[in-house]
Amino acid sequence: MKAPARASFPVNELRRGTSALRPVPNKEDQMENDLIIRHHSGEDGPPGSLSGFVFGRKPKTILKRSSIMIAAAVALYFGGLGTALQRIDANPDFSPTTVENGSHAVDMVASLIEREVDTYRWAPNDPAFYPTAFHDNMGNFQRGVMRAVSRFTLELETQIGRLNGTSAIDRDLEQAAGLLQFPTDVWLFDFQQSILPVQPADTQYRAAADALRAYNARLAAGQAAFETRPDALVLTLERMLGELGARAAVIEQHTQQDSGLMDGVSDDIFYFNKGLSYATYLLVRELGRDFDRVISTMGIEAVWAQTLDSLRQAATQRPLVVLNSSGESSIFANHLHLQGFFMKRALLQLDEVVRVLRNTR
């Protein structure tokens, strides 16, 4: 009797059957496994937080992106914000806050100081970390304004604000003239003088404006002097002539150097002269109201108006970029030459006014 034959299963079939018993992973499981593998392989994974999305996860990526962001922030701070804070106002129609029966010129001085210090912010003493650290056009313009204002206040103290130029000096004018001599660039610290905090320039100028307001209030009440004599006007105009002549000489000296189309100095000279010419224009305009009888009596209304026109044109130029071309054949402008032309024309006209006033005294 034969033994029953054993069932025979091919090895290949057995292997296929065994493998068929294993679970086949679906697509979702496969994706999860792939993500886990990639994560452990050191590649950037999906952002799990905002910082990971912004800065990345690799050290090199973090360093690169951080450097770019810091550079962009610095550019926006010093470039964008610094530019937005610049304000150069050479409006020829600017009108001061007036005191009835007071001096128009004194009102203008006080109003100019208050506008530049309080309304627009005093820029020449901005420290290095301010956004305006690389913007000096506003600062130079304000320096020019303060130069004209401070020199005029000296004439108020020594000539116009004294009876016949021989009486006692007015206490408010003396205080204002002294405060306006304070350096324009002093901030909270002046280490050349002291390691302790000091009064900044804008605080000194604000106090000077208050003193001028106090003087004009006393003048309106008949308790102060304001001499409208021809000789007082002559001395005031001669000081203006000296300041304008000195700045015109700076232009001539610089342009003779042929230092390049944009040399980094031309704009400093231009905006200082712009501020000086602008403040001088406004002061001459208001002096014309204070000394209207003298001007009409001497018959100098026409040359007075011409002087104002020259000063106004010197003050109201608004180039996008101050250029310093090398000569007449250049296709580029030379804004210093143009500004100097109007300043010298104003000098000649003011000199004519002074000669007329001196010859008729």
Side-chain angles (χ1 to χ4, degrees):
M1 186 175 181
K2 291 181 179 180
R6 291 183 298 177
S8 174
F9 294 95
V11 177
N12 291 339
E13 291 295 334
L14 180 60
R15 289 175 179 173
R16 282 199 297 270
T18 304
S19 61
L21 297 175
R22 295 176 182 174
V24 178
N26 56 33
K27 292 184 178 180
E28 293 181 357
D29 294 335
Q30 185 65 38
M31 291 176 62
E32 291 178 0
N33 293 335
D34 291 343
L35 290 174
I36 293 173
I37 293 171
R38 283 198 298 270
H39 176 71
H40 289 291
S41 65
E43 298 180 2
D44 287 345
S49 64
L50 180 61
S51 61
F53 175 77
V54 174
F55 294 99
R57 295 183 180 280
K58 285 183 178 180
K60 289 184 178 180
T61 304
I62 293 173
L63 180 60
K64 180 180 178 180
R65 293 185 182 180
S66 299
S67 301
I68 293 174
M69 291 178 185
I70 291 173
V74 170
L76 287 174
Y77 181 74
F78 289 106
L81 183 58
T83 301
L85 290 175
Q86 294 289 293
R87 183 66 185 272
I88 299 174
D89 187 355
N91 176 18
D93 299 322
F94 175 70
S95 298
T97 303
T98 59
V99 176
E100 188 176 359
N101 298 324
S103 164
H104 298 286
V106 174
D107 282 334
M108 178 58 75
V109 173
S111 295
L112 269 177
I113 295 172
E114 291 165 350
R115 189 190 76 169
E116 297 303 324
V117 170
D118 296 323
T119 304
Y120 294 152
R121 186 186 59 82
W122 187 250
N125 64 346
D126 284 349
F129 57 83
Y130 269 40
T132 55
F134 299 99
H135 301 267
D136 58 1
N137 290 345
M138 179 180 178
N140 285 313
F141 174 81
Q142 290 182 326
R143 288 189 183 99
V145 169
M146 197 56 62
R147 180 78 175 184
V149 163
S150 63
R151 295 303 183 266
F152 175 74
T153 306
L154 285 174
E155 290 304 313
L156 278 176
E157 177 197 11
T158 58
Q159 297 296 329
I160 299 176
R162 302 172 64 190
L163 292 173
N164 298 318
T166 58
S167 63
I169 294 177
D170 187 274
R171 63 182 185 276
D172 288 322
L173 292 181
E174 183 179 21
Q175 180 185 8
L179 290 170
L180 291 175
Q181 303 308 308
F182 196 80
T184 60
D185 58 351
V186 174
W187 186 53
L188 292 176
F189 294 93
D190 184 7
F191 294 114
Q192 294 181 350
Q193 304 295 330
S194 172
I195 61 173
L196 299 176
V198 297
Q199 291 286 343
D202 46 319
T203 300
Q204 306 286 352
Y205 300 152
R206 192 177 293 110
D210 293 339
L212 289 167
R213 293 289 187 197
Y215 161 77
N216 222 20
R218 290 191 297 106
L219 177 62
Q223 300 172 359
F226 187 89
E227 289 290 286
T228 56
R229 306 183 317 272
D231 62 312
L233 179 59
V234 165
L235 293 172
T236 302
L237 295 179
E238 284 181 339
R239 184 173 289 275
M240 293 179 175
L241 277 168
E243 292 297 326
L244 289 171
R247 295 308 303 178
V250 171
I251 290 178
E252 184 174 0
Q253 181 181 7
H254 181 71
T255 53
Q256 287 177 349
Q257 295 176 0
D258 193 17
S259 53
L261 187 63
M262 292 183 290
D263 58 3
V265 178
S266 296
D267 62 332
D268 296 341
I269 299 173
F270 179 87
Y271 281 101
F272 187 99
N273 290 348
K274 181 181 178 73
L276 179 74
S277 300
Y278 176 64
T280 303
Y281 163 78
L282 293 177
L283 290 173
V284 172
R285 189 189 75 186
E286 298 306 306
L287 280 173
R289 301 177 65 184
D290 287 332
F291 288 84
D292 56 343
R293 292 184 180 179
V294 174
I295 293 172
S296 59
T297 300
M298 302 301 179
I300 54 176
E301 297 96 335
V303 68
W304 192 273
Q306 292 169 0
T307 302
L308 286 174
D309 182 66
S310 297
L311 289 170
R312 181 184 58 80
Q313 293 192 61
T316 54
Q317 295 181 73
R318 297 179 59 186
L320 183 63
V321 178
V322 177
L323 300 178
N324 184 36
S325 67
S326 57
E328 296 178 358
S329 60
S330 174
I331 62 173
F332 298 103
N334 190 310
H335 294 108
L336 286 179
H337 272 157
L338 184 59
Q339 186 183 61
F341 167 77
F342 289 117
M343 292 178 70
K344 289 180 178 179
R345 192 170 74 175
L347 279 169
L348 293 174
Q349 292 158 342
L350 269 180
D351 184 65
E352 182 178 350
V353 170
V354 169
R355 285 189 292 104
V356 172
L357 291 173
R358 282 196 176 279
N359 292 334
T360 56
R361 281 166 51 185

